[in-house]
């Protein structure tokens, strides 16, 4: 990560993700995916559908919270 000055507010820096940090994030994600797939294979399909629905609802709430007036 690197800090850059905020052009709109010089009191606070903006933090930007560097390419090196992106590679680390992708590597960690790629390492977790196979383990998560193994765990999800043990969950009944109906429960997986419910989890997906719950995730969608929570994601929508988070989006609304970020864009409130």
């Amino acid at each position: 990560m690197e800090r850059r000055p905020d052009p709109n507010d010089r009191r606070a820096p903006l933090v930007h993700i560097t390419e090196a940090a992106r590679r680390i994030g992708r590597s960690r994600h790629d390492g977790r995916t196979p383990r998560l797939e193994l765990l999800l294979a043990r969950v009944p399909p109906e429960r997986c559908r419910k989890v997906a629905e719950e995730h969608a609802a929570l994601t929508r709430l988070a989006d609304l919270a970020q864009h409130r007036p």
Side-chain angles (χ1 to χ4, degrees), residues 21-54:
R22 278 192 182 84
R23 281 193 301 272
I24 290 169
R26 279 192 295 271
S27 171
R28 289 183 179 174
H29 176 270
D30 293 346
R32 283 190 300 261
T33 299
R35 290 191 307 261
L36 184 56
E37 287 172 345
L38 287 173
L39 291 171
L40 286 173
R42 296 169 55 191
V43 177
E46 179 58 28
R47 185 63 188 132
C48 282
R49 280 190 288 279
K50 288 198 176 286
V51 168
E53 291 168 5
E54 293 161 358

Side-chain angles (χ1 to χ4, degrees), residues 3 12-18 20 28 32-33 44 49 57-59 69:
R3 294 174 187 259
L14 297 175
V15 177
H16 293 268
I17 298 175
T18 62
R28 289 183 179 174
R32 283 190 300 261
T33 299
R49 280 190 288 279
L58 290 172
T59 299

